[in-house]
Amino acid sequence: MLHVNIPTRAELEALVGHRGPACVSIYLPTTPFTPFTSETRADRITLDNLAGRAIDQLDAATAAADRAQRLRVRHMAELMTRLVDDDAFWANQARSLAVFVGEDRIRTFRLGNRLQASVEVADRFHVKPLLRAVTLRHEAFVLALSPDAVRLVEVTADLPAETVRVPDLPRDLADAVGRGSLESRSPRGRIQ
């Protein structure tokens, strides 16, 4: 199961409406598999590298700025470093990670779709890659009925299908339709 947290409409509107002298938007593909594998270490390194690129851009832009602005950039760098080092955060990931860093806070979203690694530094957040995750579903549930079994299967875009355990699920098709057997048929030969 993917651990996604897609932004709500209010969160998306807040991101779109935010303006400031330094807004960092980072997107990177992540692995949804077992935590603390070589892939998750690579994901952390990728985030650290992208954060470093963002800080370099901010440092270049604020080289002639006042001390307060340079301190805000240092605070943003610290927020990103804390995220890279947060083991609990990296324990559950999805297919991509979106990171938005403003001067006073950091906001992350685990997404079900796979995005390319990118970093944008501007006076507003770059939300275009986030829109697909908000507008499209990336998972479905299938109720599989057969004469011998009934099961619920979760299907995602990039992971193998997984059977979901449901208490009191019917044992088979006859149990699901409330019949002792499937022998009672309509004049056209269909199960009633």
Side-chain angles (χ1 to χ4, degrees):
M1 177 181 289
L2 290 177
H3 298 275
V4 297
N5 61 319
I6 296 172
T8 64
R9 181 183 178 118
E11 289 171 324
L12 188 59
E13 287 174 353
L15 287 171
V16 169
H18 182 85
R19 299 293 183 269
C23 296
V24 175
S25 306
I26 298 174
Y27 295 93
L28 67 143
T30 56
T31 181
F33 298 109
T34 308
F36 308 115
T37 62
S38 60
E39 287 93 358
T40 55
R41 281 191 295 277
D43 294 343
R44 289 171 117 167
I45 291 168
T46 300
L47 177 59
D48 194 35
N49 291 339
L50 292 171
R53 285 177 35 199
I55 294 304
D56 289 346
Q57 289 179 38
L58 288 170
D59 282 341
T62 60
D66 64 356
R67 185 178 190 284
Q69 182 63 24
R70 288 194 307 271
L71 286 174
R72 286 192 285 274
V73 170
R74 288 294 125 221
H75 178 66
M76 292 172 72
E78 185 179 313
L79 290 172
M80 289 185 269
T81 299
R82 282 189 211 150
L83 181 63
V84 170
D85 294 338
D86 186 353
D87 291 337
F89 174 80
W90 290 97
N92 296 306
Q93 291 297 313
R95 301 298 295 160
S96 293
L97 177 63
V99 180
F100 301 98
V101 187
E103 292 182 341
D104 57 346
R105 71 180 288 204
I106 188 168
R107 185 72 176 107
T108 61
F109 297 101
R110 296 173 181 103
L111 308 173
N113 56 318
R114 192 134 183 97
L115 297 173
Q116 296 296 316
S118 67
V119 60
E120 296 282 337
V121 177
D123 64 341
R124 64 189 75 184
F125 293 122
H126 179 63
V127 297
K128 184 178 177 184
L130 189 63
L131 296 179
R132 181 170 183 246
V134 175
T135 57
L136 298 176
R137 297 284 304 169
H138 299 284
E139 62 186 31
F141 289 95
V142 176
L143 181 59
L145 299 167
S146 73
D148 300 323
V150 174
R151 63 191 175 115
L152 183 65
V153 180
E154 181 181 19
V155 181
T156 59
D158 299 325
L159 295 175
E162 184 177 316
T163 300
V164 178
R165 295 191 187 277
V166 178
D168 302 323
L169 193 66
R171 293 182 316 276
D172 54 30
L173 186 57
D175 190 25
V177 296
R179 301 238 181 230
S181 75
L182 297 176
E183 297 306 315
S184 56
R185 300 198 180 260
S186 72
R188 294 193 175 158
R190 295 188 179 130
I191 298 171
Q192 294 194 24

